[in-house]
């Protein structure tokens, strides 16, 4: 299947080109030419299928034309080696726990899938090594690094701001070794991102080594996120047959919710969506006014959603033919301050004994406030609360147990390369690396 650019100024690309390049030549985002509906029989059968079986059917609709069936199945089954349970929190609100993967956050799904798909293309073409550059303020780096760990033909460079990520986050990408190199940059997250951008534009560097990015603009990272919307529906049918849920997604760059909107377009019976924001509420304001006004992000306790110009907004617009009315008919919004997020975490812990992380708390609250009495809601719990241990403990006033997976990272030894925030230094370093 071909992929077109949301900016419509670049030629269509194959899946392989879209995955290797990430962004179209006109700086638009790649969209699949067609979104294939799944047959009605699939939705009937779904409650009896496993997560992996369901995901493979969805993956086949997206990637089946470009990847042999056995290979695609292997990629899906390897990616989804952990469960995504639907857990009741109140009588009509369920949490879809997306945090049972290696780095305890939903980005594991896209990170692992993309690594395996790119690995397949490299093996098939006998390509030279591909080098993934990723700037991180914490969570993306760990999901990408762990997803790509040990994948042959790919080297990952994670750039992170020295002293500005938590110890737990840092350990998740500095202790891995093998094909993962952590670069500790003496600067801010914006400096890290600027280094990566300059590297992609530097012709000498690009002649020396094949560079690519692994952020949520990449189709191989964002489309696989559709899998768990289907599985959530299947689990709900086992509990409450015939119910069409309202699905609420804590959103930052809007990759996660866009994958859900694709699912609905494929026929998945979802009544409507809610995009929950923290104070960075550009999308919420767009829904109210019809005007999209990006602005610099502000820091919140749900920091993975601190985004001032959501990169996947272009995909949402494109999916609905640029119509504000069409978008607003299927998606509503919500926005919460840090105080409201903390209050929701505290109350839900006290009344339901369910521990929310700051991102999931936005989703839960938006359902509490936005569900009609006859509706059932599912929110995506995007990360394990222990990933934000200090914040969560300060809010609920109790210690938070650290899952064994995180403890294992904590026991590892940090290995990183110190780097200034000057592009000349970064470039000189990369030019010395094997390509
Ligand atoms: C990345 C992230 C989000 C936001 O997801 P988008 O796809 O960028 O909208 C929400 N919560 C957590 C924990 C995240 O890591």
């Amino acid at each position: 299947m071909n992929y077109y650019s949301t900016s419509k100024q670049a030629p269509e690309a194959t899946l392989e080109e879209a995955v290797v390049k990430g962004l179209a030549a006109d700086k638009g985002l790649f969209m699949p030419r067609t979104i294939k509906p799944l047959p009605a029989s699939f939705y009937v059968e779904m409650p009896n299928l496993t997560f992996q079986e369901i995901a493979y059917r969805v993956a086949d609709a997206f990637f089946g034309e470009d990847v042999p069936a056995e290979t695609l199945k292997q990629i899906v089954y390897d990616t989804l080696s952990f469960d995504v349970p639907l857990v009741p929190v109140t009588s009509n609100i369920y949490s879809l726990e997306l945090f049972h993967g290696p780095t305890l956050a939903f980005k594991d799904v896209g990170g692992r899938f993309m690594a395996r798909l790119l690995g397949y293309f490299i093996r098939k073409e006998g390509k030279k090594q591909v080098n993934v550059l990723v700037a991180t303020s914490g969570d993306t780096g760990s999901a990408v690094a762990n997803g790509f760990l040990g994948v042959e033909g790919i080297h990952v460079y994670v750039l992170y701001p020295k002293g500005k990520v938590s110890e737990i986050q840092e350990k998740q990408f500095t202790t891995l070794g093998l094909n993962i190199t952590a670069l500790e940059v003496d600067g801010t997250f914006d400096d890290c991102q600027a280094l990566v951008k300059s590297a992609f534009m530097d012709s000498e560097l690009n002649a020396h080594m094949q560079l690519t990015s692994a952020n949520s603009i990449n189709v191989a990272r964002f489309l696989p996120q559709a899998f768990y919307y289907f599985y959530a529906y299947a689990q709900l049918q086992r509990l409450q047959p015939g119910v069409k849920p309202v699905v609420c997604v804590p959103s930052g760059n809007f990759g996660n919710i866009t994958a859900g909107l694709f699912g609905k377009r494929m026929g998945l019976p979802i009544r409507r969506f809610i995009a929950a924001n923290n104070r960075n509420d550009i999308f919420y304001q767009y829904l109210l006014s019809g005007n999209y006004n990006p602005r610099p992000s502000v820091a919140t306790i749900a920091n993975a959603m601190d985004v001032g110009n959501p990169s996947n907004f272009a995909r949402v617009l494109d999916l609905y033919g640029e119509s504000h009315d069409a978008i607003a008919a299927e998606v509503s919004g919500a926005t919460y301050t840090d105080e409201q997020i903390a209050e929701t975490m505290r109350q839900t812990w006290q009344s339901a004994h369910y521990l929310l992380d700051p991102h999931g708390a936005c989703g839960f609250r938006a359902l509490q406030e936005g569900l009609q009495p006859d509706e059932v809601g599912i929110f995506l719990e995007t990360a394990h609360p222990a990933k934000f241990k200090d914040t969560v403990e300060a809010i609920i006033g109790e210690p938070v147990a650290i899952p064994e997976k995180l403890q294992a990272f904590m026991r590892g030894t940090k290995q990183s390369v110190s780097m200034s925030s000057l592009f000349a230094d970064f470039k000189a370093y990369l030019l010395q690396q094997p390509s």
Side-chain angles (χ1 to χ4, degrees), residues 9-10 17-18 23 59 67 71 90 103 147 150 157 167 183 238 241 280 285 289 291 295 304 309 360 369:
Q9 303 296 314
E17 287 163 349
L23 205 61
V67 184
T71 306
T90 69
T103 73
Y157 296 92
E167 192 190 350
L183 301 176
R238 291 176 201 154
N280 297 280
Q285 297 300 335
S289 69
N291 298 320
R295 51 173 207 263
N309 186 7
E369 293 179 355

mmCIF file with all atom_site columns, all heavy atoms in Angstrom, residues 9-10 17-18 23 59 67 71 90 103 147 150 157 167 183 238 241 280 285 289 291 295 304 309 360 369:
data_model
loop_
_atom_site.group_PDB
_atom_site.id
_atom_site.type_symbol
_atom_site.label_atom_id
_atom_site.label_alt_id
_atom_site.label_comp_id
_atom_site.label_asym_id
_atom_site.label_entity_id
_atom_site.label_seq_id
_atom_site.pdbx_PDB_ins_code
_atom_site.Cartn_x
_atom_site.Cartn_y
_atom_site.Cartn_z
_atom_site.occupancy
_atom_site.B_iso_or_equiv
_atom_site.pdbx_formal_charge
_atom_site.auth_seq_id
_atom_site.auth_comp_id
_atom_site.auth_asym_id
_atom_site.auth_atom_id
_atom_site.pdbx_PDB_model_num
ATOM 1   N N   . GLN A 1 9   ? 2.405   17.613  -1.125 1.00 0.00 ? 9   GLN A N   1
ATOM 2   C CA  . GLN A 1 9   ? 3.384   18.202  -2.042 1.00 0.00 ? 9   GLN A CA  1
ATOM 3   C C   . GLN A 1 9   ? 4.529   17.237  -2.349 1.00 0.00 ? 9   GLN A C   1
ATOM 4   O O   . GLN A 1 9   ? 5.526   17.622  -2.956 1.00 0.00 ? 9   GLN A O   1
ATOM 5   C CB  . GLN A 1 9   ? 3.994   19.486  -1.442 1.00 0.00 ? 9   GLN A CB  1
ATOM 6   C CG  . GLN A 1 9   ? 2.988   20.552  -1.062 1.00 0.00 ? 9   GLN A CG  1
ATOM 7   C CD  . GLN A 1 9   ? 2.248   21.096  -2.265 1.00 0.00 ? 9   GLN A CD  1
ATOM 8   O OE1 . GLN A 1 9   ? 2.854   21.413  -3.282 1.00 0.00 ? 9   GLN A OE1 1
ATOM 9   N NE2 . GLN A 1 9   ? 0.928   21.166  -2.166 1.00 0.00 ? 9   GLN A NE2 1
ATOM 10  N N   . ALA A 1 10  ? 4.419   15.991  -1.873 1.00 0.00 ? 10  ALA A N   1
ATOM 11  C CA  . ALA A 1 10  ? 5.490   15.023  -2.103 1.00 0.00 ? 10  ALA A CA  1
ATOM 12  C C   . ALA A 1 10  ? 4.898   13.799  -2.792 1.00 0.00 ? 10  ALA A C   1
ATOM 13  O O   . ALA A 1 10  ? 3.712   13.506  -2.634 1.00 0.00 ? 10  ALA A O   1
ATOM 14  C CB  . ALA A 1 10  ? 6.114   14.610  -0.759 1.00 0.00 ? 10  ALA A CB  1
ATOM 15  N N   . GLU A 1 17  ? 9.702   2.968   2.398  1.00 0.00 ? 17  GLU A N   1
ATOM 16  C CA  . GLU A 1 17  ? 10.209  4.351   2.348  1.00 0.00 ? 17  GLU A CA  1
ATOM 17  C C   . GLU A 1 17  ? 9.638   5.181   3.499  1.00 0.00 ? 17  GLU A C   1
ATOM 18  O O   . GLU A 1 17  ? 10.349  5.966   4.133  1.00 0.00 ? 17  GLU A O   1
ATOM 19  C CB  . GLU A 1 17  ? 9.826   5.011   1.016  1.00 0.00 ? 17  GLU A CB  1
ATOM 20  C CG  . GLU A 1 17  ? 10.622  4.495   -0.165 1.00 0.00 ? 17  GLU A CG  1
ATOM 21  C CD  . GLU A 1 17  ? 9.974   4.831   -1.526 1.00 0.00 ? 17  GLU A CD  1
ATOM 22  O OE1 . GLU A 1 17  ? 8.803   5.281   -1.568 1.00 0.00 ? 17  GLU A OE1 1
ATOM 23  O OE2 . GLU A 1 17  ? 10.652  4.623   -2.540 1.00 0.00 ? 17  GLU A OE2 1
ATOM 24  N N   . ALA A 1 18  ? 8.357   4.998   3.763  1.00 0.00 ? 18  ALA A N   1
ATOM 25  C CA  . ALA A 1 18  ? 7.722   5.781   4.827  1.00 0.00 ? 18  ALA A CA  1
ATOM 26  C C   . ALA A 1 18  ? 8.349   5.457   6.190  1.00 0.00 ? 18  ALA A C   1
ATOM 27  O O   . ALA A 1 18  ? 8.558   6.349   7.006  1.00 0.00 ? 18  ALA A O   1
ATOM 28  C CB  . ALA A 1 18  ? 6.220   5.508   4.854  1.00 0.00 ? 18  ALA A CB  1
ATOM 29  N N   . LEU A 1 23  ? 9.406   11.151  7.940  1.00 0.00 ? 23  LEU A N   1
ATOM 30  C CA  . LEU A 1 23  ? 8.654   12.331  7.500  1.00 0.00 ? 23  LEU A CA  1
ATOM 31  C C   . LEU A 1 23  ? 8.724   12.419  5.971  1.00 0.00 ? 23  LEU A C   1
ATOM 32  O O   . LEU A 1 23  ? 9.747   12.095  5.390  1.00 0.00 ? 23  LEU A O   1
ATOM 33  C CB  . LEU A 1 23  ? 9.323   13.558  8.120  1.00 0.00 ? 23  LEU A CB  1
ATOM 34  C CG  . LEU A 1 23  ? 8.516   14.827  8.354  1.00 0.00 ? 23  LEU A CG  1
ATOM 35  C CD1 . LEU A 1 23  ? 7.373   14.557  9.314  1.00 0.00 ? 23  LEU A CD1 1
ATOM 36  C CD2 . LEU A 1 23  ? 9.424   15.914  8.938  1.00 0.00 ? 23  LEU A CD2 1
ATOM 37  N N   . ALA A 1 59  ? -3.195  -5.689  11.869 1.00 0.00 ? 59  ALA A N   1
ATOM 38  C CA  . ALA A 1 59  ? -1.908  -5.457  11.204 1.00 0.00 ? 59  ALA A CA  1
ATOM 39  C C   . ALA A 1 59  ? -1.978  -5.860  9.739  1.00 0.00 ? 59  ALA A C   1
ATOM 40  O O   . ALA A 1 59  ? -1.416  -5.195  8.863  1.00 0.00 ? 59  ALA A O   1
ATOM 41  C CB  . ALA A 1 59  ? -0.800  -6.249  11.914 1.00 0.00 ? 59  ALA A CB  1
ATOM 42  N N   . VAL A 1 67  ? 4.193   -6.961  3.644  1.00 0.00 ? 67  VAL A N   1
ATOM 43  C CA  . VAL A 1 67  ? 5.013   -7.848  4.474  1.00 0.00 ? 67  VAL A CA  1
ATOM 44  C C   . VAL A 1 67  ? 4.412   -9.249  4.389  1.00 0.00 ? 67  VAL A C   1
ATOM 45  O O   . VAL A 1 67  ? 3.196   -9.401  4.553  1.00 0.00 ? 67  VAL A O   1
ATOM 46  C CB  . VAL A 1 67  ? 5.018   -7.372  5.954  1.00 0.00 ? 67  VAL A CB  1
ATOM 47  C CG1 . VAL A 1 67  ? 5.938   -8.233  6.803  1.00 0.00 ? 67  VAL A CG1 1
ATOM 48  C CG2 . VAL A 1 67  ? 5.413   -5.897  6.057  1.00 0.00 ? 67  VAL A CG2 1
ATOM 49  N N   . THR A 1 71  ? 5.899   -13.439 8.346  1.00 0.00 ? 71  THR A N   1
ATOM 50  C CA  . THR A 1 71  ? 6.781   -12.436 8.945  1.00 0.00 ? 71  THR A CA  1
ATOM 51  C C   . THR A 1 71  ? 5.970   -11.453 9.786  1.00 0.00 ? 71  THR A C   1
ATOM 52  O O   . THR A 1 71  ? 6.339   -11.129 10.916 1.00 0.00 ? 71  THR A O   1
ATOM 53  C CB  . THR A 1 71  ? 7.532   -11.657 7.840  1.00 0.00 ? 71  THR A CB  1
ATOM 54  O OG1 . THR A 1 71  ? 8.181   -12.593 6.999  1.00 0.00 ? 71  THR A OG1 1
ATOM 55  C CG2 . THR A 1 71  ? 8.547   -10.693 8.422  1.00 0.00 ? 71  THR A CG2 1
ATOM 56  N N   . THR A 1 90  ? -14.804 2.008   38.267 1.00 0.00 ? 90  THR A N   1
ATOM 57  C CA  . THR A 1 90  ? -16.111 2.280   38.875 1.00 0.00 ? 90  THR A CA  1
ATOM 58  C C   . THR A 1 90  ? -17.130 1.419   38.126 1.00 0.00 ? 90  THR A C   1
ATOM 59  O O   . THR A 1 90  ? -16.740 0.608   37.268 1.00 0.00 ? 90  THR A O   1
ATOM 60  C CB  . THR A 1 90  ? -16.503 3.769   38.728 1.00 0.00 ? 90  THR A CB  1
ATOM 61  O OG1 . THR A 1 90  ? -16.769 4.037   37.343 1.00 0.00 ? 90  THR A OG1 1
ATOM 62  C CG2 . THR A 1 90  ? -15.413 4.700   39.224 1.00 0.00 ? 90  THR A CG2 1
ATOM 63  N N   . THR A 1 103 ? 8.956   -1.216  29.480 1.00 0.00 ? 103 THR A N   1
ATOM 64  C CA  . THR A 1 103 ? 9.254   0.065   30.135 1.00 0.00 ? 103 THR A CA  1
ATOM 65  C C   . THR A 1 103 ? 8.001   0.662   30.780 1.00 0.00 ? 103 THR A C   1
ATOM 66  O O   . THR A 1 103 ? 7.966   1.835   31.137 1.00 0.00 ? 103 THR A O   1
ATOM 67  C CB  . THR A 1 103 ? 9.899   1.100   29.175 1.00 0.00 ? 103 THR A CB  1
ATOM 68  O OG1 . THR A 1 103 ? 8.904   1.584   28.265 1.00 0.00 ? 103 THR A OG1 1
ATOM 69  C CG2 . THR A 1 103 ? 11.037  0.493   28.390 1.00 0.00 ? 103 THR A CG2 1
ATOM 70  N N   . GLY A 1 147 ? 12.795  -1.179  22.714 1.00 0.00 ? 147 GLY A N   1
ATOM 71  C CA  . GLY A 1 147 ? 12.202  -1.801  21.530 1.00 0.00 ? 147 GLY A CA  1
ATOM 72  C C   . GLY A 1 147 ? 13.265  -2.265  20.545 1.00 0.00 ? 147 GLY A C   1
ATOM 73  O O   . GLY A 1 147 ? 13.161  -3.338  19.962 1.00 0.00 ? 147 GLY A O   1
ATOM 74  N N   . GLY A 1 150 ? 19.092  -5.083  20.667 1.00 0.00 ? 150 GLY A N   1
ATOM 75  C CA  . GLY A 1 150 ? 19.483  -6.355  20.077 1.00 0.00 ? 150 GLY A CA  1
ATOM 76  C C   . GLY A 1 150 ? 19.002  -6.571  18.651 1.00 0.00 ? 150 GLY A C   1
ATOM 77  O O   . GLY A 1 150 ? 19.251  -7.632  18.082 1.00 0.00 ? 150 GLY A O   1
ATOM 78  N N   . TYR A 1 157 ? 20.963  5.914   19.039 1.00 0.00 ? 157 TYR A N   1
ATOM 79  C CA  . TYR A 1 157 ? 21.589  6.945   19.866 1.00 0.00 ? 157 TYR A CA  1
ATOM 80  C C   . TYR A 1 157 ? 20.481  7.719   20.576 1.00 0.00 ? 157 TYR A C   1
ATOM 81  O O   . TYR A 1 157 ? 19.656  8.364   19.923 1.00 0.00 ? 157 TYR A O   1
ATOM 82  C CB  . TYR A 1 157 ? 22.426  7.898   19.008 1.00 0.00 ? 157 TYR A CB  1
ATOM 83  C CG  . TYR A 1 157 ? 23.601  7.205   18.340 1.00 0.00 ? 157 TYR A CG  1
ATOM 84  C CD1 . TYR A 1 157 ? 23.466  6.658   17.061 1.00 0.00 ? 157 TYR A CD1 1
ATOM 85  C CD2 . TYR A 1 157 ? 24.821  7.071   18.990 1.00 0.00 ? 157 TYR A CD2 1
ATOM 86  C CE1 . TYR A 1 157 ? 24.528  5.997   16.450 1.00 0.00 ? 157 TYR A CE1 1
ATOM 87  C CE2 . TYR A 1 157 ? 25.895  6.408   18.395 1.00 0.00 ? 157 TYR A CE2 1
ATOM 88  C CZ  . TYR A 1 157 ? 25.734  5.876   17.126 1.00 0.00 ? 157 TYR A CZ  1
ATOM 89  O OH  . TYR A 1 157 ? 26.779  5.219   16.534 1.00 0.00 ? 157 TYR A OH  1
ATOM 90  N N   . GLU A 1 167 ? 15.932  9.419   37.802 1.00 0.00 ? 167 GLU A N   1
ATOM 91  C CA  . GLU A 1 167 ? 16.898  8.318   37.839 1.00 0.00 ? 167 GLU A CA  1
ATOM 92  C C   . GLU A 1 167 ? 16.292  7.059   37.219 1.00 0.00 ? 167 GLU A C   1
ATOM 93  O O   . GLU A 1 167 ? 16.954  6.335   36.460 1.00 0.00 ? 167 GLU A O   1
ATOM 94  C CB  . GLU A 1 167 ? 17.325  8.054   39.292 1.00 0.00 ? 167 GLU A CB  1
ATOM 95  C CG  . GLU A 1 167 ? 18.515  7.134   39.374 1.00 0.00 ? 167 GLU A CG  1
ATOM 96  C CD  . GLU A 1 167 ? 18.807  6.655   40.786 1.00 0.00 ? 167 GLU A CD  1
ATOM 97  O OE1 . GLU A 1 167 ? 18.203  7.170   41.741 1.00 0.00 ? 167 GLU A OE1 1
ATOM 98  O OE2 . GLU A 1 167 ? 19.641  5.730   40.917 1.00 0.00 ? 167 GLU A OE2 1
ATOM 99  N N   . LEU A 1 183 ? 23.588  9.316   25.035 1.00 0.00 ? 183 LEU A N   1
ATOM 100 C CA  . LEU A 1 183 ? 24.398  10.531  24.998 1.00 0.00 ? 183 LEU A CA  1
ATOM 101 C C   . LEU A 1 183 ? 23.812  11.528  25.987 1.00 0.00 ? 183 LEU A C   1
ATOM 102 O O   . LEU A 1 183 ? 22.675  11.978  25.837 1.00 0.00 ? 183 LEU A O   1
ATOM 103 C CB  . LEU A 1 183 ? 24.402  11.129  23.591 1.00 0.00 ? 183 LEU A CB  1
ATOM 104 C CG  . LEU A 1 183 ? 24.939  10.213  22.479 1.00 0.00 ? 183 LEU A CG  1
ATOM 105 C CD1 . LEU A 1 183 ? 24.800  10.879  21.115 1.00 0.00 ? 183 LEU A CD1 1
ATOM 106 C CD2 . LEU A 1 183 ? 26.398  9.873   22.738 1.00 0.00 ? 183 LEU A CD2 1
ATOM 107 N N   . ARG A 1 238 ? -16.876 -9.258  26.354 1.00 0.00 ? 238 ARG A N   1
ATOM 108 C CA  . ARG A 1 238 ? -16.965 -10.428 27.236 1.00 0.00 ? 238 ARG A CA  1
ATOM 109 C C   . ARG A 1 238 ? -17.701 -10.061 28.513 1.00 0.00 ? 238 ARG A C   1
ATOM 110 O O   . ARG A 1 238 ? -18.400 -10.876 29.097 1.00 0.00 ? 238 ARG A O   1
ATOM 111 C CB  . ARG A 1 238 ? -15.569 -10.937 27.603 1.00 0.00 ? 238 ARG A CB  1
ATOM 112 C CG  . ARG A 1 238 ? -14.824 -11.569 26.436 1.00 0.00 ? 238 ARG A CG  1
ATOM 113 C CD  . ARG A 1 238 ? -13.406 -11.966 26.869 1.00 0.00 ? 238 ARG A CD  1
ATOM 114 N NE  . ARG A 1 238 ? -12.528 -12.092 25.710 1.00 0.00 ? 238 ARG A NE  1
ATOM 115 C CZ  . ARG A 1 238 ? -11.221 -11.941 25.733 1.00 0.00 ? 238 ARG A CZ  1
ATOM 116 N NH1 . ARG A 1 238 ? -10.601 -11.656 26.883 1.00 0.00 ? 238 ARG A NH1 1
ATOM 117 N NH2 . ARG A 1 238 ? -10.508 -12.073 24.640 1.00 0.00 ? 238 ARG A NH2 1
ATOM 118 N N   . PRO A 1 241 ? -21.850 -7.541  26.824 1.00 0.00 ? 241 PRO A N   1
ATOM 119 C CA  . PRO A 1 241 ? -22.097 -7.719  25.382 1.00 0.00 ? 241 PRO A CA  1
ATOM 120 C C   . PRO A 1 241 ? -22.987 -6.602  24.819 1.00 0.00 ? 241 PRO A C   1
ATOM 121 O O   . PRO A 1 241 ? -23.934 -6.174  25.473 1.00 0.00 ? 241 PRO A O   1
ATOM 122 C CB  . PRO A 1 241 ? -22.815 -9.069  25.301 1.00 0.00 ? 241 PRO A CB  1
ATOM 123 C CG  . PRO A 1 241 ? -22.492 -9.772  26.578 1.00 0.00 ? 241 PRO A CG  1
ATOM 124 C CD  . PRO A 1 241 ? -22.261 -8.713  27.614 1.00 0.00 ? 241 PRO A CD  1
ATOM 125 N N   . ASN A 1 280 ? -1.769  22.050  28.711 1.00 0.00 ? 280 ASN A N   1
ATOM 126 C CA  . ASN A 1 280 ? -1.393  22.267  27.303 1.00 0.00 ? 280 ASN A CA  1
ATOM 127 C C   . ASN A 1 280 ? -2.591  21.844  26.450 1.00 0.00 ? 280 ASN A C   1
ATOM 128 O O   . ASN A 1 280 ? -2.675  20.711  25.973 1.00 0.00 ? 280 ASN A O   1
ATOM 129 C CB  . ASN A 1 280 ? -0.145  21.459  26.972 1.00 0.00 ? 280 ASN A CB  1
ATOM 130 C CG  . ASN A 1 280 ? 1.044   21.921  27.791 1.00 0.00 ? 280 ASN A CG  1
ATOM 131 O OD1 . ASN A 1 280 ? 1.671   22.917  27.458 1.00 0.00 ? 280 ASN A OD1 1
ATOM 132 N ND2 . ASN A 1 280 ? 1.338   21.229  28.894 1.00 0.00 ? 280 ASN A ND2 1
ATOM 133 N N   . GLN A 1 285 ? -8.833  23.888  22.801 1.00 0.00 ? 285 GLN A N   1
ATOM 134 C CA  . GLN A 1 285 ? -9.171  25.230  22.319 1.00 0.00 ? 285 GLN A CA  1
ATOM 135 C C   . GLN A 1 285 ? -9.599  25.202  20.851 1.00 0.00 ? 285 GLN A C   1
ATOM 136 O O   . GLN A 1 285 ? -10.494 25.936  20.441 1.00 0.00 ? 285 GLN A O   1
ATOM 137 C CB  . GLN A 1 285 ? -7.978  26.193  22.497 1.00 0.00 ? 285 GLN A CB  1
ATOM 138 C CG  . GLN A 1 285 ? -7.569  26.425  23.953 1.00 0.00 ? 285 GLN A CG  1
ATOM 139 C CD  . GLN A 1 285 ? -8.684  27.014  24.797 1.00 0.00 ? 285 GLN A CD  1
ATOM 140 O OE1 . GLN A 1 285 ? -9.588  27.679  24.289 1.00 0.00 ? 285 GLN A OE1 1
ATOM 141 N NE2 . GLN A 1 285 ? -8.653  26.741  26.109 1.00 0.00 ? 285 GLN A NE2 1
ATOM 142 N N   . SER A 1 289 ? -13.079 26.679  19.367 1.00 0.00 ? 289 SER A N   1
ATOM 143 C CA  . SER A 1 289 ? -13.067 27.873  18.524 1.00 0.00 ? 289 SER A CA  1
ATOM 144 C C   . SER A 1 289 ? -12.944 27.585  17.031 1.00 0.00 ? 289 SER A C   1
ATOM 145 O O   . SER A 1 289 ? -13.255 28.452  16.207 1.00 0.00 ? 289 SER A O   1
ATOM 146 C CB  . SER A 1 289 ? -11.876 28.758  18.928 1.00 0.00 ? 289 SER A CB  1
ATOM 147 O OG  . SER A 1 289 ? -10.663 28.112  18.546 1.00 0.00 ? 289 SER A OG  1
ATOM 148 N N   . ASN A 1 291 ? -10.115 27.339  15.737 1.00 0.00 ? 291 ASN A N   1
ATOM 149 C CA  . ASN A 1 291 ? -8.794  27.872  15.392 1.00 0.00 ? 291 ASN A CA  1
ATOM 150 C C   . ASN A 1 291 ? -7.695  27.057  16.069 1.00 0.00 ? 291 ASN A C   1
ATOM 151 O O   . ASN A 1 291 ? -7.783  26.775  17.262 1.00 0.00 ? 291 ASN A O   1
ATOM 152 C CB  . ASN A 1 291 ? -8.659  29.328  15.847 1.00 0.00 ? 291 ASN A CB  1
ATOM 153 C CG  . ASN A 1 291 ? -9.663  30.221  15.155 1.00 0.00 ? 291 ASN A CG  1
ATOM 154 O OD1 . ASN A 1 291 ? -9.912  30.060  13.944 1.00 0.00 ? 291 ASN A OD1 1
ATOM 155 N ND2 . ASN A 1 291 ? -10.265 31.123  15.912 1.00 0.00 ? 291 ASN A ND2 1
ATOM 156 N N   . ARG A 1 295 ? 1.260   26.894  20.758 1.00 0.00 ? 295 ARG A N   1
ATOM 157 C CA  . ARG A 1 295 ? 1.986   27.828  21.629 1.00 0.00 ? 295 ARG A CA  1
ATOM 158 C C   . ARG A 1 295 ? 3.010   27.034  22.423 1.00 0.00 ? 295 ARG A C   1
ATOM 159 O O   . ARG A 1 295 ? 2.908   25.804  22.519 1.00 0.00 ? 295 ARG A O   1
ATOM 160 C CB  . ARG A 1 295 ? 1.003   28.567  22.533 1.00 0.00 ? 295 ARG A CB  1
ATOM 161 C CG  . ARG A 1 295 ? 0.036   27.689  23.297 1.00 0.00 ? 295 ARG A CG  1
ATOM 162 C CD  . ARG A 1 295 ? -0.788  28.492  24.296 1.00 0.00 ? 295 ARG A CD  1
ATOM 163 N NE  . ARG A 1 295 ? -1.194  27.622  25.389 1.00 0.00 ? 295 ARG A NE  1
ATOM 164 C CZ  . ARG A 1 295 ? -2.391  27.030  25.449 1.00 0.00 ? 295 ARG A CZ  1
ATOM 165 N NH1 . ARG A 1 295 ? -3.271  27.214  24.505 1.00 0.00 ? 295 ARG A NH1 1
ATOM 166 N NH2 . ARG A 1 295 ? -2.676  26.245  26.467 1.00 0.00 ? 295 ARG A NH2 1
ATOM 167 N N   . ALA A 1 304 ? 4.519   13.902  30.010 1.00 0.00 ? 304 ALA A N   1
ATOM 168 C CA  . ALA A 1 304 ? 4.588   13.315  28.664 1.00 0.00 ? 304 ALA A CA  1
ATOM 169 C C   . ALA A 1 304 ? 3.531   13.932  27.742 1.00 0.00 ? 304 ALA A C   1
ATOM 170 O O   . ALA A 1 304 ? 3.506   13.655  26.550 1.00 0.00 ? 304 ALA A O   1
ATOM 171 C CB  . ALA A 1 304 ? 4.423   11.801  28.725 1.00 0.00 ? 304 ALA A CB  1
ATOM 172 N N   . ASN A 1 309 ? 2.449   21.917  20.290 1.00 0.00 ? 309 ASN A N   1
ATOM 173 C CA  . ASN A 1 309 ? 2.094   21.871  18.868 1.00 0.00 ? 309 ASN A CA  1
ATOM 174 C C   . ASN A 1 309 ? 2.018   20.402  18.458 1.00 0.00 ? 309 ASN A C   1
ATOM 175 O O   . ASN A 1 309 ? 2.945   19.874  17.858 1.00 0.00 ? 309 ASN A O   1
ATOM 176 C CB  . ASN A 1 309 ? 3.159   22.626  18.067 1.00 0.00 ? 309 ASN A CB  1
ATOM 177 C CG  . ASN A 1 309 ? 2.778   22.751  16.597 1.00 0.00 ? 309 ASN A CG  1
ATOM 178 O OD1 . ASN A 1 309 ? 1.668   22.398  16.185 1.00 0.00 ? 309 ASN A OD1 1
ATOM 179 N ND2 . ASN A 1 309 ? 3.709   23.230  15.792 1.00 0.00 ? 309 ASN A ND2 1
ATOM 180 N N   . GLY A 1 360 ? -3.072  9.134   33.134 1.00 0.00 ? 360 GLY A N   1
ATOM 181 C CA  . GLY A 1 360 ? -4.338  8.393   33.200 1.00 0.00 ? 360 GLY A CA  1
ATOM 182 C C   . GLY A 1 360 ? -5.383  9.160   33.996 1.00 0.00 ? 360 GLY A C   1
ATOM 183 O O   . GLY A 1 360 ? -6.585  9.076   33.698 1.00 0.00 ? 360 GLY A O   1
ATOM 184 N N   . GLU A 1 369 ? -16.578 13.212  34.257 1.00 0.00 ? 369 GLU A N   1
ATOM 185 C CA  . GLU A 1 369 ? -17.330 14.440  34.003 1.00 0.00 ? 369 GLU A CA  1
ATOM 186 C C   . GLU A 1 369 ? -18.138 14.378  32.708 1.00 0.00 ? 369 GLU A C   1
ATOM 187 O O   . GLU A 1 369 ? -19.119 15.093  32.566 1.00 0.00 ? 369 GLU A O   1
ATOM 188 C CB  . GLU A 1 369 ? -16.359 15.637  33.917 1.00 0.00 ? 369 GLU A CB  1
ATOM 189 C CG  . GLU A 1 369 ? -15.696 15.934  35.248 1.00 0.00 ? 369 GLU A CG  1
ATOM 190 C CD  . GLU A 1 369 ? -14.718 17.115  35.166 1.00 0.00 ? 369 GLU A CD  1
ATOM 191 O OE1 . GLU A 1 369 ? -14.477 17.640  34.067 1.00 0.00 ? 369 GLU A OE1 1
ATOM 192 O OE2 . GLU A 1 369 ? -14.196 17.491  36.233 1.00 0.00 ? 369 GLU A OE2 1
#
